């Protein structure tokens, strides 16, 4: 599986291992969820560690890679194109999720492409939606979906403009939560700081984090925003639960050159979050948590 088709530099960060096209806009893809791929602490129901589960954020990363790969491998988008994830989400069934074994877990992804949009004189889709069903060892355990916008290299450069050259905003005067407060394993996994007024800002502790910054990015990656929202939910009171679903919509690029605020609070079916920058909403969505057993 080509690393470039899923926007990864390291082989270890490529989750997909094989793929084939089926009739009627359907695809079958194989993935492996590595045992070590985790930023949030795992949950066990027996207390023995024998039934610990994978980090649920693997579901979001899998649909991200599936969407990018299908666009370029099967639907004709050139390698120079710039696929952009506009929305992403997943839902997991905690009762059927695969248990972490001694090695990676083989995950089968049944994918379907729909809501495809074309523009004149361009042979590949300008945008499309993908939904997938996850199964492992013959048992379905969840689903995911995403919306991809495919820009040409020229369109991307025009759209990004001078913002593409901006670097991260320093956060030396801010206080960073402890790993325990946001349910992660190490200080480098923390994605948030508090400014002097107590407001939460998105500011990754490790800008060379192997999972979130496998390669340089000219904007704050969507996966960083999603993880920051999960951590904000922990600080707001969701820490007793384990993430089992989410939906995030990116309304515009989140830039490095201005503070990024994130707010999260209880909603009707879980927790709602909003990411803002310079007074504008750049991303928003919802999170759901399962009670620890």
């Amino acid at each position: 599986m080509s690393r470039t088709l899923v926007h990864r530099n390291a082989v270890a960060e490529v989750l997909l291992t094989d793929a084939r096209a089926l009739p009627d806009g359907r695809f079958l893809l194989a993935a492996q969820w590595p045992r070590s791929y985790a930023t949030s602490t795992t949950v066990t129901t027996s207390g023995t560690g024998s039934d610990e589960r994978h980090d649920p954020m693997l579901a979001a990363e899998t649909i991200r890679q599936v969407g990018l790969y299908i666009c370029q491998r099967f639907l004709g988008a050139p390698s120079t194109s710039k696929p952009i994830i506009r929305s992403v989400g997943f839902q997991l069934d905690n009762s059927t999720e695969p248990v972490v074994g001694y090695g990676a877990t083989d995950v089968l992804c049944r994918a379907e492409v729909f809501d495809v949009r074309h523009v004149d004189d361009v042979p590949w889709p300008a945008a499309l939606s993908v939904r997938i069903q996850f199964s492992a060892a013959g048992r379905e355990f969840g689903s995911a979906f995403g919306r991809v916008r495919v820009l040409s290299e020229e369109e991307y450069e025009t759209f990004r403009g001078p913002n593409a050259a901006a670097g991260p905003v320093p956060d030396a005067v801010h206080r960073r939560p402890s790993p325990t407060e946001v349910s992660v394993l190490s200080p480098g996994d923390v994605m948030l700081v508090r400014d002097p007024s107590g407001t939460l800002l998105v500011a990754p502790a490790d800008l060379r984090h192997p999972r979130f910054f496998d390669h340089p990015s000219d904007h704050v990656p969507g996966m960083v925003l999603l993880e920051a929202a999960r951590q904000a939910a922990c600080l707001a009171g969701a820490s007793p639960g384990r993430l089992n679903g989410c939906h995030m919509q990116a309304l515009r690029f989140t830039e490095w050159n201005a503070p990024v605020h994130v707010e999260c609070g209880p909603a009707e079916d879980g927790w709602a979050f909003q990411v803002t920058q310079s007074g504008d909403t750049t991303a928003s969505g919802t999170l759901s948590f399962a009670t620890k057993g």
Side-chain angles (χ1 to χ4, degrees), residues 228-250:
R230 187 200 63 77
Q231 294 184 15
C234 288
L235 294 174
S239 54
R242 176 176 183 269
L243 185 70
N244 69 348
C246 71
H247 175 207
M248 184 179 76
Q249 182 176 13

Side-chain angles (χ1 to χ4, degrees), residues 161-177:
N163 289 324
V169 177
D171 66 339
V173 301
H174 300 149
R175 184 183 72 81
R176 191 172 297 278

